Amino acid sequence: MEAIEKNRVTLFLILAFGISWASAAVIALTGGLANSPVLIPGTQITLALILEASIFMWGPALANIITRLVTREGRQNLFLGFHLKSAWPYWLVAWFGPGLLTIAGAALFFALFPQYYDAGMELLQAQLKAAGSAAVIDPFQLVMVQTLMGMLISPLVNFPATFGEEFGWRGYLLPKLSVLGKRKALLLSGIIWGVWHWPLIAMGHNYGLDYWGYPWTGLLGTLCFTISIGGLIGWSSQKAQSVWPAVIAHAAVNGIAAVGLFFAKESFPRLLGPTPAGVIGMLPFTLITAWIIFKSKD
């Protein structure tokens, strides 16, 4: 890697981590994720939610823009082209692949740990009862509709939230690291992406605060998670030469990740599943990423 590119990558990482982790520090000092002050009474809009959505998640995108300005890289290689005519297969994989793999991971988790499976969906039943909807809404039909909507619509609904990350990680960092080889680039970018999440994980994101080995097992699980899903996300972006399949794939993961929770009993181990953040739940993604890395020529 040329010296100028090393300098750009270094500056990008300093900015991406600096901006995001500064906002995480504010969250930690004002009650963390669990006890963040509510900004609008009667809602769930907290300071942590606002900072996470507006600053933490957008740190990588801001780092991309600032690095380009400071190093005079300009608009070259922005990876913002759609390339639908040539890249449509990768768009399809990005759109529907995460949903299918998430469902497969949840099914695998419950097959291995049937004691955590709740066919009656008692937690959802209780929520519907509390909302006064239990008599008019069938829980199973509700889950099926939400799953279908999650696979079809969530990439469109969620992409504004995931663009902030992907414009940085897959739109800037991954192409820069690709000079090291596609395999190394995918693995290294996945590791960096995982470490970037660590402050939120330590505050309970994905796994809570009461699991075995907290917080170290959660931090390690996050690395496994970001490498696993990062392989598919990064591969789709590399093949399409565009950030948009990565944005769509990430949005699809976020939109359907919780589907397995509808069928889980209250005491399930989040480190294992049934969401793709769990070691078992992420296994379909892990296998796909292993195949992608194995098939890569460098």
Side-chain angles (χ1 to χ4, degrees):
M1 186 183 293
E2 295 180 1
I4 182 63
E5 294 297 273
K6 288 183 179 179
N7 292 338
R8 284 169 173 161
V9 168
T10 300
L11 178 60
F12 166 81
L13 291 175
I14 291 173
L15 290 169
F17 277 77
I19 293 170
S20 297
W21 283 22
S23 68
V26 175
I27 294 173
L29 293 171
T30 54
L33 297 178
N35 300 302
S36 182
V38 176
L39 298 182
I40 301 178
T43 72
Q44 295 182 337
I45 300 177
T46 64
L47 176 63
L49 179 64
I50 295 299
L51 289 176
E52 186 178 350
S54 63
I55 300 180
F56 191 96
M57 297 303 176
W58 278 82
L62 293 173
N64 182 349
I65 295 169
I66 296 172
T67 299
R68 289 176 178 276
L69 292 173
V70 171
T71 65
R72 302 181 183 276
E73 189 172 2
R75 299 180 181 179
Q76 57 181 314
N77 301 320
L78 281 173
F79 277 76
L80 290 176
F82 292 103
H83 309 310
L84 284 174
K85 186 175 182 180
S86 60
W88 64 266
Y90 308 110
W91 278 75
L92 285 179
V93 170
W95 201 293
F96 296 106
L100 296 174
L101 294 173
T102 296
I103 293 171
L108 178 61
F109 171 80
F110 289 123
L112 293 175
F113 303 99
Q115 67 269 32
Y116 297 118
Y117 180 67
D118 180 13
M121 293 179 282
E122 292 183 5
L123 288 178
L124 180 57
Q125 295 262 30
Q127 292 173 354
L128 291 175
K129 185 176 181 179
S133 304
V136 295
I137 299 178
D138 179 83
F140 185 78
Q141 291 181 355
L142 175 63
V143 171
M144 292 303 101
V145 169
Q146 289 198 352
T147 300
L148 183 61
M149 297 287 284
M151 292 190 67
L152 294 177
I153 299 177
S154 65
L156 287 176
V157 175
N158 292 335
F159 86 85
T162 58
F163 180 82
E165 289 186 58
E166 295 307 325
F167 188 50
W169 303 129
R170 257 61 67 170
Y172 192 82
L173 181 63
L174 183 61
K176 298 292 187 189
L177 296 180
S178 292
V179 297
L180 304 175
K182 293 180 179 178
R183 294 177 181 176
K184 291 182 180 179
L186 286 173
L187 289 172
L188 186 55
S189 62
I191 292 170
I192 292 170
W193 187 29
V195 173
W196 173 81
H197 280 88
W198 278 0
L200 295 183
I201 302 303
M203 286 187 278
H205 184 68
N206 280 341
Y207 307 112
L209 300 169
D210 59 351
Y211 53 87
W212 176 83
Y214 167 84
W216 310 109
T217 50
L219 302 182
L220 180 59
T222 299
L223 290 181
C224 296
F225 174 51
T226 54
I227 292 172
S228 294
I229 69 168
L232 176 64
I233 292 175
W235 172 83
S236 65
S237 179
Q238 285 179 326
K239 299 297 286 187
Q241 288 296 290
S242 169
V243 73
W244 291 110
V247 173
I248 292 299
H250 191 165
V253 171
N254 287 359
I256 202 170
V259 65
L261 299 180
F262 290 118
F263 299 94
K265 292 184 178 179
E266 191 170 1
S267 59
F268 67 94
R270 293 180 179 271
L271 275 174
L272 297 180
T275 74
V279 175
I280 303 300
M282 73 177 72
L283 191 56
F285 286 94
T286 305
L287 294 175
I288 292 296
T289 290
W291 179 81
I292 288 171
I293 291 174
F294 177 78
K295 294 289 288 185
S296 296
K297 295 181 180 179
D298 54 5

